[in-house]
């Protein structure tokens, strides 16, 4: 069965971040429509959700790889700032056990200081401002 699916998908675009986003957004909108009930706005959300899901599957099974690739690149370009913000926050969160991360009062540069060094004077490498903090 796996081999048949692989043969079917050969030459087709497949899954990319934009497809994943469309699928999740479509499912969220469909579930939101269920919460709103059978009123007019719930029906509209239901239709929009299914349109997003169908478009997601259309993209996955499409043989026009160059056009789907261009759509994905445009999506990645538009969401670059949001994605990098969350990646930075995730990286900072991982380092919390080993390092304190302070912000320079002069230039707002983030400075990483090892924990457990006591009260130390920190010199900003960007602007040269010194300030005292407890690590």
């Amino acid at each position: 069965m796996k081999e048949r699916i692989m043969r079917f998908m050969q030459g087709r675009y497949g899954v990319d971040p934009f497809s994943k986003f469309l699928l999740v957004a479509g499912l969220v909108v469909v579930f939101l429509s269920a919460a709103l009930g059978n009123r007019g706005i719930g029906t509209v959300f239901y239709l929009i959700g299914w349109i997003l899901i169908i478009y997601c599957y259309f993209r996955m099974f499409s043989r026009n790889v160059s056009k789907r690739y261009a759509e994905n690149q445009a999506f990645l370009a538009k969401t670059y700032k949001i994605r990098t913000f969350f990646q930075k926050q995730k990286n900072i969160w991982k380092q919390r056990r080993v390092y304190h991360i302070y912000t320079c009062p002069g230039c707002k540069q983030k400075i990483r200081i090892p924990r457990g060094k006591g009260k130390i004077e920190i010199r900003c490498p960007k602007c040269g401002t010194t300030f005292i903090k407890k690590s």
Side-chain angles (χ1 to χ4, degrees), residues 108-120:
K108 308 300 181 206
Q109 172 74 30
K110 290 191 176 182
I111 304 165
R112 190 177 71 167
I113 304 297
R115 285 184 178 266
K117 302 293 182 188
K119 202 173 204 180
I120 58 172

Side-chain angles (χ1 to χ4, degrees), residues 67-97:
K67 192 167 185 180
R68 303 293 89 82
Y69 178 77
E71 290 172 353
N72 186 45
Q73 290 302 312
F75 170 75
L76 292 175
K78 289 184 192 292
T79 60
Y80 176 76
K81 287 184 180 179
I82 296 168
R83 288 181 297 113
T84 55
F85 171 78
F86 284 111
Q87 286 172 351
K88 286 179 185 177
Q89 294 305 314
K90 183 179 175 183
N91 189 23
I92 288 171
W93 192 256
K94 280 183 181 177
Q95 295 179 13
R96 291 268 183 213
R97 281 198 171 172

